[in-house]
Amino acid sequence: MGSLFPSLTTIHILTFLQTAHLVTDQLKIHTPGNIVIGVAGEDAILPCYLSSPRDPLRIAVRWILLRPLQSKEVSSYNGGTQTERPGEEYRGRTEFFTSQLSKGNLSLKLKNIRVTDKGKYACRVDVSDCQGDAYVELEVTAPYRILSPDNPVTGVIGADVNLPCQLSVTKLTGNFKVQWKLLNPSALIHEFSYRGGVQAESEGEKHYGRTELFIGEMNQGNFSLKLKHVQASDKAEYICSLDSENWYDEMVVKLDVTGQFRILPPSNPVIGVIGEDVILPCQLSDTVIPASIAVQWILIQPSRKPVKIFHNGRFNEDWQGMRSWGRMEVFSTEWTKGNMALQLNNVQLPDRGRYVCSARAGDWFEKVDIELEVTAIKKGKTRGAFRRGGHSHRKAPGKRTKKKKDNNE
């Protein structure tokens, strides 16, 4: 089987054009850039040059990775014997430009660089009776990263949900392993590996039979996990990690869980009294309700466009400004109890209209309409009732009847 991931777009190595050199009476060594930035999994060139051509048979050069406790021998070249000798950890990963030694090019190609290759390197040169060093710093960057998801993800009990895990690149070369785990307590959920053309896949015990990876979309950087038949106990934090030998990255996805609830039908219309506060009810049925539920209130009135008065956890500032006679409030601390009601303070005639309350959680969505009518007096009084259209209704005056006096008075 061929690789799932044909080739990773090459990211060019950048150098900061500063000059680091050492000068002796007879020898000058320099590096055209003292910092090299390479991409993990690709090749990097550590530059090192002599100021003037030399007899390659009389050149000896050593590349050393400098470490505080113990430096590492990367590779060396002996012009007299024309032999290259890589360090034990670098076998098969180094190469000198031997055809250019006579021109003073002592640079080293470091192949398939790793995160552990990061550090300061010394180019140590011995030409005839002269010796000198030059230094170059290698920085290693990621060939990819896992994009941060929109947290939390909401799943509906009994339905399926996708936990996102998307790479910043759509192609990945070589061997790799992707894992999904529970964060706390740590437990394997699903694992997929690709090594030497062979695929292997396994599931953890706790979620066995309920998880699936999108293997056909991995060549597009999609390592998302489908969690089937969501349960209330699935509410947790999950880790998606990718290890491609040269690089490792991970990110956390938070899963919130909600039930398949509905909004209870309100009693319409709701009557508001001018100058008093009124609550427009929006109550969800008693079930599992996530804190991440999205609530929206829209006002619909004749001869004007619908207005989103509450959206994305915030009131519409323009509408709040127009409604200068009173504040609006929601009971956000009671959302997990299903109370999505809207309170209008100091109700006035312009507040009349149809209010739409909607709630969204994952793939679940529902809405209800609440009709608000405004009156000038409280229920039970007969004067000054205002209804839609602005008409005032009063009792027509009737005949007065004089009450007959009681004879006992």
Side-chain angles (χ1 to χ4, degrees), residues 190-347:
H190 206 117
E191 179 178 293
F192 178 89
S193 62
Y194 179 84
R195 186 174 297 276
V198 178
Q199 298 181 21
E201 189 173 5
S202 60
E203 296 181 63
E205 182 179 347
K206 184 176 180 180
H207 297 80
Y208 189 82
R210 292 204 298 128
T211 60
E212 180 183 336
L213 292 170
F214 301 87
I215 297 175
E217 298 180 21
M218 287 185 177
N219 59 355
Q220 300 172 27
N222 183 10
F223 292 90
S224 302
L225 177 77
K226 176 184 282 188
L227 182 58
K228 305 174 184 177
H229 311 299
V230 171
Q231 303 169 6
S233 59
D234 291 329
K235 180 179 178 179
E237 291 182 311
Y238 298 79
I239 299 177
C240 173
S241 65
L242 180 64
D243 187 347
S244 64
E245 296 181 332
N246 297 313
W247 196 258
Y248 175 89
D249 197 15
E250 65 179 32
M251 63 89 189
V252 176
V253 179
K254 183 179 180 181
L255 175 63
D256 210 345
V257 176
T258 180
Q260 293 182 334
F261 44 76
R262 62 190 181 88
I263 300 179
L264 301 178
S267 298
N268 274 317
V270 173
I271 306 297
V273 178
I274 290 177
E276 297 188 3
D277 302 343
V278 66
I279 293 178
L280 305 180
C282 186
Q283 180 66 46
L284 274 60
S285 57
D286 186 18
T287 184
V288 181
I289 300 172
S292 58
I293 192 167
V295 180
Q296 179 175 268
W297 278 92
I298 296 177
L299 172 58
I300 300 175
Q301 294 175 316
S303 305
R304 68 182 305 167
K305 292 181 179 179
V307 179
K308 289 182 180 179
I309 57 179
F310 185 82
H311 181 65
N312 288 336
R314 300 179 62 182
F315 281 103
N316 183 330
E317 293 182 2
D318 292 338
W319 179 252
Q320 181 72 80
M322 292 175 62
R323 195 182 181 276
S324 57
W325 54 85
R327 292 179 54 81
M328 299 181 289
E329 300 177 45
V330 292
F331 305 91
S332 55
T333 57
E334 297 184 20
W335 285 359
T336 53
K337 300 176 183 178
N339 183 10
M340 313 294 169
L342 173 69
Q343 178 170 306
L344 303 178
N345 297 336
N346 189 26
V347 169

Side-chain angles (χ1 to χ4, degrees), residues 67-272:
R67 290 282 190 252
L69 298 178
Q70 185 177 4
S71 296
K72 293 183 179 181
E73 190 80 22
V74 179
S75 191
S76 61
Y77 182 83
N78 188 320
T81 59
Q82 298 185 12
T83 55
E84 181 179 347
R85 188 176 179 179
E88 186 176 348
E89 296 182 24
Y90 296 88
R91 295 187 185 281
R93 293 208 299 128
T94 62
E95 180 183 342
F96 283 94
F97 300 89
T98 53
S99 62
Q100 298 183 33
L101 288 175
S102 60
K103 300 177 182 178
N105 184 0
L106 310 180
S107 303
L108 180 72
K109 177 187 285 189
L110 187 56
K111 305 175 183 178
N112 190 24
I113 59 176
R114 306 165 182 169
V115 177
T116 54
D117 292 331
K118 177 181 176 180
K120 185 176 183 179
Y121 289 77
C123 173
R124 189 157 294 169
V125 182
D126 189 339
V127 180
S128 299
D129 296 330
C130 299
Q131 295 180 345
D133 291 352
Y135 303 92
V136 62
E137 192 86 21
L138 175 64
E139 294 285 346
V140 181
T141 64
Y144 60 83
R145 63 186 178 88
I146 299 177
L147 302 177
S148 298
D150 293 329
N151 272 319
V153 175
T154 303
V156 178
I157 292 176
D160 301 344
V161 65
N162 291 337
L163 303 181
C165 185
Q166 179 67 47
L167 292 187
S168 57
V169 297
T170 57
K171 294 180 181 179
L172 189 66
T173 58
N175 303 323
F176 71 91
K177 179 173 69 177
V178 59
Q179 278 189 339
W180 276 93
K181 289 183 177 182
L182 270 176
L183 179 61
N184 189 20
S186 180
L188 177 66
I189 297 175
H190 206 117
E191 179 178 293
F192 178 89
S193 62
Y194 179 84
R195 186 174 297 276
V198 178
Q199 298 181 21
E201 189 173 5
S202 60
E203 296 181 63
E205 182 179 347
K206 184 176 180 180
H207 297 80
Y208 189 82
R210 292 204 298 128
T211 60
E212 180 183 336
L213 292 170
F214 301 87
I215 297 175
E217 298 180 21
M218 287 185 177
N219 59 355
Q220 300 172 27
N222 183 10
F223 292 90
S224 302
L225 177 77
K226 176 184 282 188
L227 182 58
K228 305 174 184 177
H229 311 299
V230 171
Q231 303 169 6
S233 59
D234 291 329
K235 180 179 178 179
E237 291 182 311
Y238 298 79
I239 299 177
C240 173
S241 65
L242 180 64
D243 187 347
S244 64
E245 296 181 332
N246 297 313
W247 196 258
Y248 175 89
D249 197 15
E250 65 179 32
M251 63 89 189
V252 176
V253 179
K254 183 179 180 181
L255 175 63
D256 210 345
V257 176
T258 180
Q260 293 182 334
F261 44 76
R262 62 190 181 88
I263 300 179
L264 301 178
S267 298
N268 274 317
V270 173
I271 306 297

Side-chain angles (χ1 to χ4, degrees), residues 10-50:
T10 301
I11 302 177
H12 294 290
I13 296 171
L14 305 176
T15 58
F16 295 86
L17 297 179
Q18 302 173 5
T19 301
H21 61 272
L22 180 143
V23 181
T24 67
D25 292 339
Q26 301 177 356
L27 182 67
K28 181 179 179 181
I29 308 167
H30 66 98
T31 58
N34 69 341
I35 299 179
V36 173
I37 300 178
V39 178
E42 299 191 8
D43 301 344
I45 296 176
L46 306 178
C48 184
Y49 296 91
L50 296 179

